[in-house]
Amino acid sequence: MGYEKRSLGSFEGRKIYEILLSLGYDMKSAQRICDKHRVIDAEDQNLHKNSVAHGEIFLIDYKCEPRGLKPIFECDAFAAFDKPSGILSHPSGRNSPYNMYDEIWSLYGQDACVAHRLDLETSGILIVAKDKDAARELKECFEQRRVMKSYLALVQGDLREGLRGDLQSAACNGEIENCYALGFDEICGSKFAGDAVSLPDNVSDLRDMRALKGAGDKFGFNILSNGASRGLWRSALSGGAQAKFKSGAPAGDVGSGFEFDDLSCGVSDKLKPAIAMSSTDNGHKPYALSAAKSLPATSKGCVNLKKFEPAKYAKFSEKLKFLKDFEGFVIDAPIAPSDEFADLKIRMKISRDGKEAITLIRPLRYFSDIDASLIECYPLTGRQHQIRLHLFAAGTPILGEPLYGLSREQAELILDKKMDETERIRTTGAPRLLLHANVICFELSGERYEIKSKFDAAREFYNLAKIGKI
C-alpha cells in the first residue's frame, strides 16, 4: 500500500535511462519515471535520466494492495467503480493509505487512471480510463462539458418549494463577496434601526410573526453589492407606509425596472402569509444607514435557489440533453479559492471574481422526522467543492459536511480523524458527508453511456441521519 523502494540492481558507469531501457521500459516511460524523481541511489539522492550509476540504484514504485473492489461496468476503453466514502480517488504521497489506485492498477496496469475525482467522503461513480488513448478522449469529454453527472444529497430542511430560510438568512441572500445590508440595526439582526424605516408600534421584532401579520404596514431592506443598490420589498401596504418610504430616501437608491428574480429571497412558511414579494413596487426607497458592515463571504444563506430556466443556460446544451423535462432550481454563484484554513485544507468561497459555477437542484423527498430533504444535484460546471459550497451558501448544508460551516478546530479534528463518531454526528448531523455520485452520462466514440450506481444512497443516508435524531 503506497510507494515502496525497490532495488533495480547494481550498475557502474551506465546512464539511468540506458539501465531502464535494458529493464524493458520504453524511452517515454523512462523519461516519465526520472522526471517524477522515482529513481534514487543508496543515499536516497534523486537520479536524472543522464545521471551515471555508481552502485545500487532503486525505483520508487507503487505497491498495490487491492481489497477486491470490482467495477460495476466496463468496456474496452474504461471502467466504472462505485467508490466507497472515506476512500481516496488517488494516492496522496509516498505513504498513501489504501486508495482507488490499489484496485485500478492491480486490474489494468499503471497506464490506467481516473478520468475525474471525487472528494474523500463523497461516494459513488468514478470513471477509470484503461489506457492513455481512453484517458485523452475522456478528458476531452469533461473539458468540453459533454458529461452530465447526477448526485444525491441529504440536506438540512425542507426544499420541496425551494429555499426556506428565516428572515435572518434572507438578509444574506444575494450576497456575492462584498455585500452590505442597509436598514437593519444589526447586519442579519432582528430589528430596524431607529433612524431607518420603522415598523408599526406593535411590531418591535421581525420575528414577531403574529404582530407582523396584522400590521397592515410594509417593511423592506436594501442590499448594496459592490456599489450597486438592490432592493427587496415586502407587501401588504397602507398608503401612509408608501409615503413614509418615499420620504428622506437617498435618491436613486432603487432603480425602476429592477429584475427581482435575480435576487429572490427565501422565506419561511410562517412568514409567507404575512409578507409577499412584490416585483412591481418600484420607487419606494428605504432610508439607508450611514454605516454598513460587510457580510462574510462564506455566510450560510448568502445565495439563492431560483427556478431553472433552460433558455438562460443554452451553452450547456451538450449536458442538458441528458436531462428530460427538468423541473427544479438553480444555484448560480461563482466560486474562488479561499484563504481561510489554507494551511489546513483547500477551501472555496462564493466570490464575484471567481469562476462560473452552476448547480441544478431537484427536491425528491422531505423526511419530516429528521427535518431533511433528499435532493438530486446536477453540476453544470465542475468547480472544486461546488455542490457542497453552493448548498451551504444557500442555507441548506449537506448533512455530515466536514468543512463548511465549521470552526477551524472542528474541521481539523475531522480531517485528522480525531473526532469520534458521536461527536461528528452531533457536530455535522451524520458520521460522513451524505453526498453520492449516483449517475453519469456521456458519449464516447459514438456510443452513449448512462451508468447508475448500485448503492442505495437514499436508504443509507436516511439511516445515517436518523442516528443523530435518536
Side-chain angles (χ1 to χ4, degrees):
M1 184 159 55
Y3 289 87
E4 64 176 359
K5 180 178 175 181
R6 177 165 62 86
S7 176
L8 294 178
S10 293
F11 302 89
E12 188 63 42
R14 296 179 62 185
K15 292 186 177 181
I16 299 302
Y17 81 88
E18 293 176 339
I19 296 171
L20 292 174
L21 291 175
S22 70
L23 294 174
Y25 294 93
D26 60 36
M27 191 63 187
K28 190 173 182 179
S29 297
Q31 177 75 54
R32 185 176 69 249
I33 289 170
C34 292
D35 288 346
K36 291 184 176 181
H37 309 296
R38 288 173 51 194
V39 181
I40 60 176
D41 61 19
E43 297 180 354
D44 292 337
Q45 297 296 310
N46 290 324
L47 299 175
H48 303 291
K49 69 175 184 178
N50 288 317
S51 298
V52 177
H54 296 286
E56 191 173 15
I57 64 171
F58 302 85
L59 177 67
I60 304 299
D61 202 9
Y62 193 84
K63 180 183 179 181
C64 294
E65 293 189 1
R67 298 180 181 177
L69 184 66
K70 301 299 182 184
I72 61 171
F73 172 86
E74 66 177 310
C75 60
D76 290 341
F78 69 89
F81 287 81
D82 245 342
K83 184 187 87 69
S85 176
I87 304 301
L88 290 166
S89 296
H90 53 87
S92 61
R94 290 190 177 181
N95 296 312
S96 176
Y98 169 78
N99 61 85
M100 290 302 300
Y101 274 78
D102 284 292
E103 307 294 349
I104 294 166
W105 282 345
S106 66
L107 289 171
Y108 309 119
Q110 292 197 8
D111 281 341
C113 63
V114 295
H116 59 109
R117 296 181 181 183
L118 295 175
D119 291 339
L120 174 67
E121 291 199 4
T122 301
S123 55
I125 299 292
L126 186 69
I127 300 298
V128 174
K130 290 185 175 181
D131 55 44
K132 295 174 184 177
D133 290 336
R136 185 168 53 254
E137 284 190 72
L138 285 165
K139 183 179 180 181
E140 288 178 1
C141 283
F142 281 91
E143 289 179 346
Q144 296 173 9
R145 296 173 172 169
R146 292 188 282 119
V147 179
M148 175 61 88
K149 293 186 284 184
S150 167
Y151 291 75
L152 292 177
L154 193 65
V155 301
Q156 290 180 8
D158 184 354
L159 264 69
R160 287 175 295 180
E161 296 179 11
L163 179 62
R164 295 180 177 181
D166 56 23
L167 202 56
Q168 179 173 341
S169 65
C172 294
N173 283 343
E175 178 228 355
I176 300 298
E177 187 169 35
N178 298 313
C179 181
Y180 303 87
L182 307 182
F184 281 112
D185 197 10
E186 299 174 278
I187 301 304
C188 293
S190 62
K191 296 180 181 179
F192 276 97
D195 59 345
V197 178
S198 298
L199 287 171
D201 292 339
N202 64 331
V203 182
S204 61
D205 193 307
L206 293 181
R207 289 171 291 192
D208 187 350
M209 306 302 178
R210 287 181 296 177
L212 181 60
K213 186 172 181 178
D217 209 334
K218 177 177 181 174
F219 66 92
F221 61 86
N222 193 39
I223 288 184
L224 179 67
S225 179
N226 290 338
S229 238
R230 296 182 175 185
L232 280 179
W233 298 95
R234 310 296 177 189
S235 60
L237 300 181
S238 67
Q242 295 186 20
K244 184 195 303 183
F245 271 78
K246 289 179 181 177
S247 63
D253 201 37
V254 180
S256 61
F258 179 79
E259 293 185 11
F260 284 78
D261 286 345
D262 288 344
L263 200 60
S264 58
C265 188
V267 180
S268 69
D269 279 342
K270 290 181 179 180
L271 278 175
K272 281 181 178 177
I275 54 178
M277 185 182 299
S278 171
S279 62
T280 60
D281 189 65
N282 295 310
H284 304 298
K285 310 174 180 65
Y287 187 87
L289 292 175
S290 58
K293 301 176 183 178
S294 177
L295 296 172
T298 52
S299 293
K300 177 180 172 182
C302 68
V303 301
N304 312 285
L305 296 181
K306 297 183 292 186
K307 184 177 180 180
F308 176 64
E309 299 178 49
K312 291 184 178 181
Y313 299 94
K315 67 180 179 180
F316 296 101
S317 59
E318 285 296 313
K319 284 177 174 281
L320 294 174
K321 69 183 181 182
F322 294 107
L323 286 179
K324 294 181 180 179
D325 303 321
F326 176 82
E327 290 187 7
F329 307 96
V330 60
I331 300 175
D332 189 341
I335 290 176
S338 171
D339 294 332
E340 193 176 18
F341 302 176
D343 60 325
L344 175 65
K345 175 74 174 179
I346 294 174
R347 185 180 167 98
M348 310 302 285
K349 67 179 179 181
I350 305 296
S351 172
R352 187 177 294 280
D353 297 324
K355 293 183 178 180
E356 181 181 45
I358 302 165
T359 306
L360 305 187
I361 305 294
R362 174 159 44 199
L364 299 178
R365 182 178 177 184
Y366 174 63
F367 299 99
S368 58
D369 56 333
I370 58 173
D371 187 29
S373 295
L374 181 69
I375 63 172
E376 203 167 19
C377 308
Y378 299 88
L380 297 187
T381 53
R383 310 303 173 205
Q384 189 163 22
H385 296 176
Q386 177 175 313
I387 295 174
R388 294 166 56 187
L389 178 56
H390 270 175
L391 289 170
F392 166 74
T396 54
I398 301 173
L399 294 177
E401 170 57 56
L403 188 59
Y404 298 100
L406 302 184
S407 69
R408 178 190 173 88
E409 181 183 8
Q410 290 170 327
E412 190 168 13
L413 287 172
I414 292 173
L415 292 170
D416 292 342
K417 302 185 184 303
K418 293 180 180 179
M419 181 181 286
D420 64 40
E421 185 172 290
T422 300
E423 182 64 15
R424 171 72 186 271
I425 293 170
R426 189 191 70 79
T427 303
T428 68
R432 56 155 287 197
L433 178 70
L434 300 188
L435 180 65
H436 181 75
N438 195 48
V439 182
I440 189 166
C441 305
F442 57 90
E443 293 178 354
L444 188 71
S445 302
E447 293 287 333
R448 178 170 174 149
Y449 298 93
E450 181 175 343
I451 304 167
K452 297 182 179 180
S453 170
K454 307 296 184 182
F455 179 68
D456 189 352
R459 180 186 296 274
E460 180 69 13
F461 286 1
Y462 173 81
N463 290 336
L464 289 173
K466 187 73 173 176
I467 295 172
K469 301 295 182 179
I470 297 176

